[in-house]
Amino acid sequence: MKLRSYMIIGFLLSLLLSIVPFSGNFTTAATPTAVAPVSALSFTQGVQKTVLDNGLTVLTKEVHTAPVVSVQVWYKVGSRNEVKGENGISHQLEHLMFKGTTARPVQFGRLFSALGSQFNAFTSYDETAYFGTVQRDKLEALLTLEADRMENSLVGPEQLTSEKRVVISELQGYENSPDYRLSRAVMRDAFPSRAYGLPVGGTKADVEKFTVEQVRNYYRTYYSPENATLVITGDFATEPVLKVVKETYGKLAKREKEDTGTQGRGDVVRGNITASSPVAPTTKKAPIVLKQPGSAALLQAVYPLPDIKHPDVPAIDMMDAILTGGRSSRLYQALVESGLASSVSGGAAELIEPGWYEINATAAPGQELGKIAQVLQQTLAKLQQQPVTTEELNRAKTQLQASFVLGNQDITSQASQLGYNQTVAGDYRFIEKYLAAIAKVTPAQVQQAAKTYLNPAKQTIGFFEPTQPDGKPGASSAGSGRTVENFSPGKPVDPAELAKYLPPATSATDSSKQSLPEEFTLNNGLRVLLLRDRNLPTINLSGQIDAGTEFDGNQKAGLANLTANNLMNGTQTKNALTLAKTLEDRGAGLNFSASREGVSVSGEGLSTNLPILIQTLADVLENATFPAEQLELSRQRALTNLKVQLDDPRGLGRQVFQQAIYPENHPFHSFPTAESLKSITRDDLLAFYQTHYRPDTTTISLVGDFDPVKVKDLLNQAFGKWEATGKPPVLKIPTVPLPQTLTRVNKVIPGKAEAVTYIGYNGISRKDPRYYAALVLNQILGGDTLSSRLGTEVRDRLGLTYGIYSAFAAGINPGPFLIQMQTAPLDTQKAIASTLALLKQLREQGVTEAEFNTAKRSITNSFPVDLANPSNVSSIILNNAVLGLSRSEIREFPQRIQAVTKPQMQQAIEDLIKPENLVIVTAGPGDTVPKGG
């Protein structure tokens, strides 16, 4: 079970995950005893629906858990509404909606950023949605901006020309992914005459041909009040806000529908298949086979499904959970635990029109896709022939129900849930009926769903067979030198000019009331931070163990990751499947992953399951046994992941960049290789585990609905016998000088369409006194793809990239300062030259007072939005503790940002911006460097 991100083509680099109830992003499951239905009232209680005279649907829900509000506008238009020759027009229009309006002819991303909004947008099959979450005093400002672009967006030649290049850059980036290319081929074959068979983002061929008139007509047809839902959730009073909504949106008129030659796009007959009744073949089709450059072998299978309102939908979703929901699921056991596949996932797309069920698998090294397809078919046939067990069904129900509670802990997700149900299902209360039906699904109904919808004759299956299976990148070149071209950047955007387009905020929000965690240390040295939050019946656990990849060394690179990945493979009293069921039976999750400076622990569940979560965590940290057969399976998965990473310009580029900055003897230089992964033995894992997994190097943060006194008793009981001997290992991290000259490295990966470039050098640590000034500096330079100098120049003005941003990776030790961008191969040199010119401009001219003040406000206004999500709070509390900061940092962070002075900022520029010492790494197609360049 998963949320298939290809369904949602997002506008920014980091996507908001839409709440799509029927393909949920969770890998945990349900109780083996009878389950009581989860009440949907928590999702719909207090929602008020208002329909304005112009047809706009308004959903309001007061949630007074934090001083923030979310404003979302959902338009009932997506790729479903597109016809031949205009594939991707919904997505193109989504981009143009940020280019400004007649009254505000500026990049809307800059306006949202100035408000401190965490904003985003996406296009999917049935809907296009725009998100913004802010402090409550900015609510009216967000409402004003969304109303403005509903009616007055600029769709002109200049905007369309620049944004077409950006969209094509985005689409070419997807082309880098074998998964995307396989999915496109399979969907086109499964739905040859339906819009659902086309990629949501569009095709380069269609995007290049869009005309201003075509896009304007599409905007006038679909961006109309009666085709939209406005959702407002958070800390506000309904009646005054509805008054503002009526004043702001009530004056927007219904649009006169223009004849675009595609009357009623969503309702027409396309080819010989109607939208309401998908025709399936009567004989089994041969597999689609793609033989292209790539790394791992992939399988995708697709089966037609009914629409979202069909009565079989709950049984289909239970079928999916039983097949792919977590480690105990049938396909995981049949394919991954058998060693045939490195991963398997599935999801049901239940949409306005009939959708599909999809299964994806990545082959393990040396395994044949034909064999995986055979075992897949056997597993599906067994589900059709025999009723599922009560244990499986109850696990699936709990899995789904818990995921709804855990997935709606923040107001942005709650707004998305309402917007999705209203737009796609036609009723925000749809979830009530859906969850009630889930609770009543029987084994016979699941079996019947499998018989009806997993018919081999209706299957479309595709194989991706890599022509470069060793995953090794092609040639590389390195050298010092300047780029061929020299660009003069435009003038920085004047925030004072921007300010005249900003709607006023009503009041200030006091951010100093954030509760602080209680901190204590167990007798064995394990550090704990507790923050009680009784708003929701959930638990969010974050942890860190000082057992990161910095301890690997080059010879055993990958050891820390293999150790972390094998923790859940067995203890002295439980095998891997028992451990998985212990959590999945209750809809809880516990995961471990190694990063540079530690092993991250993340756990979540309903508050009633906190004891199970803690006891399982303690068991694997104290008693892991690392079974040999599971180690071999995880090694094969690691080898597959390595191939995929080396075949991805982002993964390979980041590795080469890191290794160009840090010398071979530095702990940050090591990355796994096939040789190092194959050399690691079970004894290596045991020795690493015994040396580095210690209570006195472990920190745990808990946020949720619990009694702190009972939690302390629980922790003492669970971890009381865990002891460490001697002192923990300590690494001496050497200081890394900047490169003497500008250094260029180019890595070629055959078969890629888009290049990824990293620019930077070693930076600062989190406790560096310049850190807060560096954050403000970064906000101005590249902290946001739409509002920063880099975004304004390289993306917005020149249209050279889909995404560009900068960051200081500041941890316990100094990490890199880096700029990352994605470009078409022939635009790479121009984008690099523009970036270098911007860095020189920043170094020589500094920043303006208005830029400086706007950046500080943007950071401080955005911070309360982070604190509105209990999962974020748990992570922030943990990170502050691990980095050696005070408990009060979570409360004082905004004041520390506001306290940064202009001279401190100028000093940070002089110290940290060194255009002449950059390392520049480009990975991707081989034609990014002009001859003689």
Side-chain angles (χ1 to χ4, degrees), residues 652-798:
L652 178 63
R654 181 59 194 265
Q655 175 174 329
V656 173
F657 174 73
Q658 190 96 2
Q659 292 185 324
I661 292 173
Y662 299 103
E664 202 168 319
N665 63 346
H666 195 284
F668 289 5
H669 180 91
S670 68
F671 279 82
T673 64
E675 292 72 27
S676 71
L677 288 170
K678 288 174 183 175
S679 76
I680 294 169
T681 65
R682 180 172 178 270
D683 286 342
D684 290 328
L685 261 69
L686 283 166
F688 191 89
Y689 175 67
Q690 288 157 4
T691 302
H692 297 286
Y693 282 72
R694 307 165 50 104
D696 53 353
T697 62
T698 301
T699 306
I700 295 171
S701 161
L702 278 170
V703 174
D705 184 17
F706 53 74
D707 179 339
V709 175
K710 291 181 180 176
V711 170
K712 287 177 188 175
D713 288 342
L714 179 63
L715 291 167
N716 276 309
Q717 288 171 23
F719 292 101
K721 294 178 182 175
W722 190 21
E723 297 292 344
T725 56
K727 292 188 176 180
V730 177
L731 273 178
K732 186 171 173 59
I733 306 286
T735 304
V736 177
L738 294 181
Q740 293 298 304
T741 57
L742 186 142
T743 305
R744 288 295 311 270
V745 182
N746 298 291
K747 281 285 184 180
V748 178
I749 311 180
K752 298 304 170 188
E754 198 84 342
V756 174
T757 298
Y758 291 89
I759 301 173
Y761 35 64
N762 191 40
I764 58 174
S765 71
R766 176 61 177 86
K767 292 186 85 172
D768 190 295
R770 298 165 296 185
Y771 175 76
Y772 299 101
L775 270 191
V776 180
L777 163 62
N778 189 69
Q779 180 70 19
I780 294 167
L781 175 63
D784 182 282
T785 295
L786 294 186
S787 64
S788 64
R789 283 196 185 185
L790 286 170
T792 298
E793 178 70 14
V794 185
R795 184 196 189 282
D796 236 24
R797 191 170 81 87
L798 300 175

Side-chain angles (χ1 to χ4, degrees), residues 13-45:
L13 283 172
S14 56
L15 305 182
L16 281 174
L17 290 182
S18 130
I19 299 301
V20 183
F22 314 109
S23 44
N25 185 25
F26 47 88
T27 53
T28 54
T31 81
T33 53
V35 245
V38 167
S39 169
L41 283 179
S42 58
F43 304 112
T44 58
Q45 194 168 29

Side-chain angles (χ1 to χ4, degrees), residues 246-512:
K246 288 169 183 173
E247 290 168 356
T248 310
Y249 290 81
K251 61 189 178 188
L252 304 182
K254 288 184 181 180
R255 298 266 170 83
E256 290 296 321
K257 303 300 180 197
E258 307 231 352
D259 182 6
T260 60
T262 56
Q263 297 93 351
R265 288 175 172 83
D267 309 309
V268 296
V269 174
R270 301 184 184 85
N272 60 354
I273 298 181
T274 64
S276 59
S277 174
V279 174
T282 53
T283 56
K284 190 174 180 180
K285 294 190 287 187
I288 299 159
V289 180
L290 296 188
K291 295 188 177 184
Q292 298 174 355
S295 51
L298 308 171
L299 174 151
Q300 181 176 27
V302 164
Y303 305 82
L305 286 184
D307 62 63
I308 192 171
K309 294 182 182 177
H310 195 281
D312 286 350
V313 160
I316 291 167
D317 290 342
M318 289 299 91
M319 174 190 79
D320 172 40
I322 288 162
L323 285 172
T324 67
R327 188 166 188 168
S328 61
S329 66
R330 291 193 177 190
L331 282 176
Y332 191 98
Q333 289 293 312
L335 296 176
V336 181
E337 293 287 3
S338 69
L340 286 173
S342 289
S343 64
V344 64
S345 57
E350 294 136 347
L351 307 169
I352 290 176
E353 294 176 12
W356 63 93
Y357 182 63
E358 176 184 319
I359 297 168
N360 296 278
T362 301
Q367 296 295 338
E368 295 293 325
L369 290 172
K371 175 65 173 174
I372 293 174
Q374 181 185 356
V375 174
L376 167 65
Q377 194 53 55
Q378 289 168 355
T379 308
L380 301 185
K382 185 178 179 183
L383 187 62
Q384 294 168 328
Q385 293 157 8
Q386 301 171 14
V388 300
T389 66
T390 303
E391 177 189 348
E392 280 183 297
L393 184 60
N394 286 339
R395 182 182 302 125
K397 289 180 180 182
T398 302
Q399 177 178 9
L400 192 91
Q401 293 168 346
S403 78
F404 274 97
V405 178
L406 294 166
N408 283 280
Q409 294 186 85
D410 61 287
I411 62 158
T412 303
S413 299
Q414 291 178 43
S416 299
Q417 183 75 64
L418 295 170
Y420 181 87
N421 285 332
Q422 182 64 37
T423 305
V424 178
D427 182 4
Y428 75 89
R429 292 181 302 259
F430 175 80
I431 190 174
E432 298 174 17
K433 304 165 196 166
Y434 172 77
L435 286 176
I438 285 289
K440 295 175 183 173
V441 171
T442 65
Q445 288 173 322
V446 174
Q447 184 183 11
Q448 186 57 50
K451 284 181 180 177
T452 304
Y453 300 108
L454 301 180
N455 183 344
K458 297 179 183 179
Q459 178 196 70
T460 304
I461 193 166
F463 297 160
F464 180 88
E465 296 180 354
T467 56
Q468 191 191 339
D470 57 0
K472 289 182 180 173
S476 67
S477 61
S480 298
R482 306 273 169 191
T483 49
V484 226
E485 300 168 79
N486 224 342
F487 282 92
S488 297
K491 288 184 178 178
V493 176
D494 181 7
E497 179 74 9
L498 199 67
K500 69 184 183 185
Y501 299 121
L502 274 172
T506 52
S507 64
T509 301
D510 180 9
S511 60
S512 64

